[in-house]
């Protein structure tokens, strides 16, 4: 049972917020204690545990009253994050409309498209120059001047609440920047703060770590340690050299970070994106990702948050192997007690594989291979985010299809990164590692799906195909079960932005190519002109509306995959009592047919021809076969 379910059992008659907090604490205490002492031995850390017990009531005391009230409403409501009514967008505030105020002015735009869940990329202070897009944090709570002030943020969250918009912000839990106050003190020789990071006198221990640690940014930041001359020490920097990994073997770090986490939610944040959480625990001799201690730590954060601020939930940013991702929902006694939401990075990467190969076998194989998620948890389904697309498929599944995993990955990189003349995709190669042959892909959804090439070569057929592919992929994320998240600009088919190549602080990081400025000029013309951009926008707007109006789209853990017998086609059902939604997608550039007997058996033709919600037309059968046009997506409704 997850904590939310547990808390629902706490007497509904009790109305006093403080008493309810105490009840929540009492209910969770055994598990909190267990996780704490699993990380920090009881023998040496009893005092630290006492500190935690003092901290929790203090954090609760400081939580704003209106949020305490909202917490109770959320506990009593059903799992809001599994609702069909949610539709998300991710954006960089400065690329969208200048700053927080500018963003607030655009609430009508979100409403027009149907967006009511926003992930704002980091907005706190960061080093000048390179900052990994703000993922090198100088503070967890102080709003960077370029976005406005803390007051602007509080105003924004108030306006969001009034307009029914949920807010997600990052908690960069794995590392700080080298300018963070702790790092600065460490550099000055303060031993206490040197102990907040993994610091070493010489390279002996780092060398041991390096034997098994992979490299995250091999091109720009090879290795996992950086020498800091001021300190005369090495510090662990798994990401960029200016991002110092926090040392969670030190309980002080946990206590301080818990405080930062709760304070973040106190600003009105509904979902906290736990950034790079797979990396939270390090151990020599391992790749230091997905370690059991990392899971215990996440669960500890989660349970403390549930006690103090139960209305806020966690999203796992774990871009790891499919079978490892689901573990961030919590397993065994931690089941449902880590993160409520996780990125469906597997679906994302597999969809790009299906576009390039025009085949769906790997998609089916991999999805069937993933263990089921807990009842109360859900996915964020997306096709693009601000990061690169990694090719994290399971090798043995590629092999089962008779393909060579290395060659297959090379084909995908060639297909997307402009190494094949016939490919419609215009992507860039990211972090190619000649030592391993691994590489990743960057590019906006529209450019990767052929729109850029179609416009450049004035190829009408390619343009048509590209629009259909965009609708197909976005449509799958709307129907799959979970929160669909669209990257700002993708709703109007925004192309790659190459301007990063002229900016010294960005040019080493091609992920900036898929972080374009919001194109307001195009947006003002959407209702006036017919263009590929307006077609994409209006189709998505309509599909989002359909999703919100039909409860079959909610995530009831009811996803059924169906093999159609045609390798170009992907089909899944979202059954709900007597109702249901059957999604059928053609990933091929040619029309395809599938047998219809199984669809009839599922009851989709029992009341005559079913309605396809995408086209708004009934679907008839001329023979026993159902025909799908190139890149067509059907949403068949059973009512
Ligand atoms: C996450 C972010 C990515 C960032 C990294 C380090 O993976 O999505 O943009 O580079 O964490 O903070």
């Amino acid at each position: 049972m997850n904590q939310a379910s547990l808390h629902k059992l706490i007497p509904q008659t009790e109305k006093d917020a403080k008493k309810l907090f105490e009840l929540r604490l009492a209910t969770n205490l055994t598990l909190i204690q267990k996780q704490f002492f699993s990380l920090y031995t009881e023998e040496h850390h009893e005092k630290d545990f006492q500190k935690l017990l003092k901290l929790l009531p203090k954090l609760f005391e400081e939580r704003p009253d209106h949020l305490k009230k909202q917490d109770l409403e959320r506990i009593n409501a059903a799992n809001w994050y599994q609702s069909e009514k949610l539709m998300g967008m991710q954006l960089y505030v400065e690329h969208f409309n200048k700053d927080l105020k500018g963003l607030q002015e655009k609430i009508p735009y979100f409403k027009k498209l149907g967006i009511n869940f926003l992930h704002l990329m980091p907005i706190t202070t960061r080093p000048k120059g390179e900052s990994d897009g703000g993922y090198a944090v100088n503070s967890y709570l102080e709003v960077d001047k370029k976005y406005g002030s803390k007051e602007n943020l509080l105003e924004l969250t108030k306006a969001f609440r009034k307009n029914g918009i949920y807010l997600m912000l990052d908690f960069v839990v794995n590392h700080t920047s080298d300018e963070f106050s702790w790092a600065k003190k460490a550099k000055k020789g303060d031993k206490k703060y040197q102990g907040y990071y993994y610091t070493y006198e010489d390279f002996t221990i780092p060398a041991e770590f390096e034997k098994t640690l992979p490299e995250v940014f091999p091109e720009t930041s090879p290795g996992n340690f950086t020498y800091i001359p001021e300190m005369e020490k090495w510090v662990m920097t798994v990401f960029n050299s200016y991002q110092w990994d926090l040392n969670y073997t030190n309980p002080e770090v946990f206590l301080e970070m818990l405080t930062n986490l709760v304070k973040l939610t106190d600003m009105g944040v509904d979902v906290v994106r736990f950034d790079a959480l797979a990396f939270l625990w390090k151990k020599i001799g391992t790749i230091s990702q997905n370690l059991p201690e990392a899971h215990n730590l996440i669960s500890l954060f989660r349970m403390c948050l549930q006690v103090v601020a139960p209305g806020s939930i966690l999203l796992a940013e774990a871009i790891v192997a499919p079978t490892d991702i689901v573990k961030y929902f919590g397993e065994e006694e931690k089941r449902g007690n880590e993160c409520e939401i996780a990125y469906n990075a597997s679906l994302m990467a597999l969809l790009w594989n299906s576009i390039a190969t025009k085949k769906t076998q790997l998609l089916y194989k991999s999805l069937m291979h993933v263990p089921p998620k807990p009842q109360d948890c859900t996915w964020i389904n997306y096709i693009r985010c601000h990061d690169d697309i990694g090719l994290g498929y399971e090798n043995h599944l590629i092999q089962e299809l008779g393909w060579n995993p290395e060659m297959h990955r090379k084909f995908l990189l060639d297909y997307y990164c402009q190494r094949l003349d016939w490919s419609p995709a215009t992507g860039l190669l990211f972090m190619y590692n000649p030592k391993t042959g691994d590489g990743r892909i960057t590019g906006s959804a529209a450019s990767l799906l052929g729109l850029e090439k179609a416009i450049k070569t004035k190829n009408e057929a390619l343009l048509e195909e590209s629009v259909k592919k965009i609708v197909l992929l976005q449509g799958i994320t709307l129907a799959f079960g979970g929160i669909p998240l669209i990257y700002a600009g993708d709703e109007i088919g925004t192309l790659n932005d190459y301007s990063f190549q002229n900016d010294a602080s960005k040019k080493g990081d091609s992920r900036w190519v898929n972080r374009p400025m919001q194109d307001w000029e195009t947006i003002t013309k959407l209702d006036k002109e017919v263009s590929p951009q307006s077609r994409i926008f209006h189709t998505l707007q309509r599909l989002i509306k359909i999703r919100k109006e039909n409860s079959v789209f909610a995530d009831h853990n009811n996803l059924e995959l169906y093999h159609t017998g045609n390798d170009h086609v992907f089909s899944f059902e979202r059954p709900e009592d007597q109702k249901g939604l059957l999604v059928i997608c053609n990933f091929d550039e040619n029309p395809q047919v599938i047998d219809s007997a199984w669809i009839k058996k599922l009851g989709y033709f029992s009341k005559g021809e079913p309605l396809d919600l995408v086209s708004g037309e009934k679907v008839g059968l001329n023979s026993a076969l159902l025909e799908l046009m190139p890149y067509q997506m059907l949403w068949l409704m059973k009512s």
Side-chain angles (χ1 to χ4, degrees):
M1 180 185 285
N2 85 336
Q3 297 303 298
S5 330
L6 193 63
H7 290 149
K8 273 182 213 154
L9 298 179
I10 289 176
Q12 307 262 331
T13 43
E14 182 56 75
K15 292 276 178 290
D16 183 78
K18 179 86 195 294
K19 286 217 179 98
L20 282 167
F21 159 78
E22 279 157 6
L23 274 171
R24 285 199 298 274
L25 181 57
T27 323
N28 281 279
L29 199 56
T30 323
L31 216 46
I32 289 182
Q33 188 178 27
K34 186 167 175 206
Q35 301 306 352
F36 190 91
F37 288 132
S38 79
L39 298 168
Y40 314 111
T41 53
E42 192 163 1
E43 200 187 336
H44 298 109
H45 295 290
E46 181 55 42
K47 270 199 185 128
D48 295 303
F49 187 64
Q50 293 305 325
K51 278 191 202 164
L52 175 62
L53 290 186
K54 280 203 189 102
L55 179 63
L56 293 174
K58 183 169 167 275
L59 291 174
F60 177 73
E61 209 52 52
E62 288 164 9
R63 186 158 171 82
D65 284 339
H66 66 278
L67 292 178
K68 284 184 187 164
K69 192 166 154 249
Q70 181 179 286
D71 286 341
L72 299 185
E73 286 160 11
R74 291 227 173 125
I75 288 178
N76 293 328
N79 291 343
W80 59 272
Y81 47 89
Q82 292 180 311
S83 162
E84 74 282 5
K85 301 269 186 299
L86 286 182
M87 176 68 209
M89 180 178 268
Q90 175 193 15
L91 57 90
Y92 281 89
V93 175
E94 72 272 39
H95 286 192
F96 194 72
N97 195 32
K98 198 167 172 268
D99 54 16
L100 292 171
K101 268 193 179 157
L103 178 69
Q104 195 170 330
E105 283 163 21
K106 295 295 181 189
I107 288 179
Y109 178 68
F110 298 128
K111 291 193 139 173
K112 179 174 174 169
L113 182 59
I115 302 295
N116 55 6
F117 177 101
L118 281 178
H119 173 205
L120 309 186
M121 302 304 288
I123 51 170
T124 51
T125 51
R126 77 279 313 272
K128 282 204 182 71
E130 275 186 68
S131 69
D132 194 13
Y135 282 99
V137 292
N138 282 4
S139 149
Y140 285 99
L141 302 167
E142 198 185 322
V143 175
D144 194 293
K145 273 201 212 83
K146 72 173 174 181
Y147 301 110
S149 61
K150 186 167 174 193
E151 283 64 48
N152 295 145
L153 177 60
L154 293 177
E155 252 170 57
L156 182 75
T157 55
K158 201 168 143 199
F160 277 0
R161 269 196 301 280
K162 200 168 131 214
N163 285 281
I165 299 176
Y166 293 93
L167 173 64
M168 175 157 90
L169 287 186
D170 276 276
F171 186 53
V172 186
V173 61
N174 179 65
H175 45 260
T176 74
S177 79
D178 57 355
E179 290 183 9
F180 195 88
S181 60
W182 303 338
K184 278 189 184 160
K185 289 180 196 159
K187 279 193 222 169
K188 284 197 181 132
D190 190 326
K191 291 274 174 300
K192 171 172 171 187
Y193 291 100
Q194 288 183 355
Y196 275 36
Y197 300 97
Y198 292 93
T199 51
Y200 303 99
E201 306 271 328
D202 58 35
F203 207 69
T204 318
I205 297 175
E208 286 304 307
F209 269 113
E210 287 291 18
K211 285 183 187 162
T212 48
L213 276 180
E215 292 171 309
V216 180
F217 296 135
E219 276 182 353
T220 48
S221 198
N224 291 280
F225 293 85
T226 303
Y227 185 71
I228 309 295
E230 296 105 299
M231 196 162 71
E232 294 183 344
K233 280 191 172 169
W234 291 87
V235 65
M236 185 184 274
T237 51
V238 167
F239 287 83
N240 287 295
S241 54
Y242 51 84
Q243 288 165 307
W244 291 19
D245 288 66
L246 287 165
N247 178 1
Y248 281 100
T249 62
N250 178 349
E252 287 292 331
V253 173
F254 167 70
L255 293 171
E256 299 241 31
M257 290 299 280
L258 176 64
T259 307
N260 285 326
L261 169 65
V262 174
K263 295 278 169 215
L264 184 69
T265 67
D266 283 352
M267 294 197 283
V269 177
D270 303 295
V271 181
V272 176
R273 179 183 181 276
F274 250 42
D275 180 65
L277 81 178
F279 296 79
L280 285 183
W281 203 270
K282 297 8 189 221
K283 214 188 275 172
I284 289 177
T286 72
I287 62 164
S288 295
Q289 287 182 40
N290 309 312
L291 293 180
E293 291 88 346
H295 284 283
N296 291 353
L297 179 63
I298 296 158
S299 185
L300 183 60
F301 269 120
R302 198 257 166 288
M303 283 182 295
C304 293
L305 185 68
Q306 186 72 54
V307 167
V308 179
S312 297
I313 57 171
L314 300 180
L315 162 75
E317 194 251 343
I319 312 303
V320 293
T323 40
D324 284 325
I325 296 182
V326 284
K327 295 185 183 155
Y328 289 91
F329 292 129
E331 288 184 299
E332 293 160 15
E333 68 173 0
K334 294 196 290 289
R335 193 170 165 82
N337 278 335
E338 286 192 37
C339 299
E340 285 85 349
I341 316 179
Y343 279 109
N344 201 343
S346 319
L347 177 69
M348 185 272 297
L350 288 161
L351 290 176
W352 291 104
N353 180 72
S354 288
I355 286 288
T357 58
K358 305 182 182 112
K359 298 266 178 64
T360 58
Q361 309 101 306
L362 189 62
L363 180 58
Y364 277 108
K365 259 190 187 299
S366 306
L367 291 178
M368 313 271 273
H369 192 67
V370 176
K373 65 179 171 61
Q375 194 70 33
D376 288 303
C377 295
T378 199
W379 296 115
I380 279 203
N381 293 311
Y382 66 117
I383 63 165
R384 282 303 287 117
C385 70
H386 67 293
D387 280 330
D388 47 288
I389 299 170
L391 309 178
Y393 318 110
E394 313 238 28
N395 280 350
H396 68 105
L397 298 180
I398 302 181
Q399 268 155 352
E400 278 176 27
L401 293 170
W403 302 339
N404 172 315
E406 231 169 77
M407 295 290 284
H408 186 62
R409 288 204 176 83
K410 184 174 176 320
F411 160 71
L412 293 174
L413 292 180
D414 288 352
Y415 176 93
Y416 282 113
C417 304
Q418 307 182 51
R419 290 159 157 191
L420 296 173
D421 284 346
W422 56 266
S423 164
T426 323
L428 299 180
L429 194 56
F430 181 66
M431 294 295 153
Y432 182 69
N433 189 344
K435 283 187 251 169
T436 59
D438 285 343
R440 284 117 78 179
I441 300 159
T442 53
S444 78
S447 289
L448 292 176
L449 292 172
L451 192 60
E452 184 167 331
K453 190 162 181 183
I455 292 175
K456 207 159 145 197
T457 56
K458 300 201 173 63
N459 183 335
E460 270 303 315
L462 195 59
L463 195 142
E464 275 308 305
E465 211 175 88
S466 163
V467 171
K468 284 190 193 138
K469 285 190 207 170
I470 292 174
V471 172
L472 171 74
L473 292 198
Q474 299 287 11
I476 292 174
T477 69
L478 284 165
F480 200 77
I483 306 173
L485 189 81
I486 189 166
Y487 189 85
D490 282 355
E491 78 282 14
I492 51 166
T494 306
L495 306 180
N496 282 348
D497 176 0
Y498 297 99
S499 64
F500 77 100
Q501 287 162 340
N502 308 320
D503 182 333
S505 69
K506 292 180 178 163
K507 77 172 185 223
D509 187 341
S510 75
R511 289 175 299 174
W512 289 104
V513 83
N514 47 252
R515 301 167 180 176
M517 298 294 284
Q518 190 71 355
D519 181 358
W520 294 107
E521 205 182 305
T522 297
I523 291 169
T524 45
K525 288 190 262 174
L526 288 176
D527 295 334
K528 296 175 201 144
E529 287 173 9
V530 178
S531 61
Q533 289 83 357
S534 71
R535 281 173 52 202
I536 296 167
F537 181 87
H538 288 121
T539 310
L540 293 180
Q541 184 188 40
R542 197 165 47 76
L543 297 185
I544 291 168
K545 188 160 179 280
I546 293 171
R547 170 182 155 98
K548 290 185 171 186
E549 285 167 354
N550 289 286
S551 62
V552 284
F553 286 88
D555 182 9
H556 304 297
N557 258 332
N558 54 342
L559 180 85
E560 301 283 348
L561 297 177
Y562 286 103
H563 283 281
T564 65
N566 181 329
D567 282 345
H568 299 288
V569 177
F570 177 49
S571 179
F572 61 90
E573 191 192 17
R574 307 290 317 287
E576 189 197 26
D577 302 328
Q578 300 308 309
K579 294 196 289 179
L581 175 81
L582 185 65
V583 178
I584 310 174
C585 305
N586 179 8
F587 274 84
D588 195 33
E589 63 202 346
N590 298 306
Q592 293 293 333
V593 288
I594 55 172
D595 178 28
S596 64
W598 63 278
I599 307 176
K600 289 187 182 146
K601 235 190 200 156
L602 287 174
Y604 281 84
F605 283 88
S606 58
K607 291 189 188 156
E609 295 175 344
L611 181 68
D612 165 31
L613 296 177
V614 178
S615 61
E617 283 165 17
K618 297 223 162 174
V619 173
L621 295 174
N622 292 327
S623 66
L625 298 176
L626 177 72
E627 193 177 4
L628 295 156
M629 291 296 113
Y631 300 109
Q632 185 175 16
M633 172 179 65
L634 292 175
W635 281 359
L636 298 189
M637 205 42 182
K638 179 165 77 178
S639 45

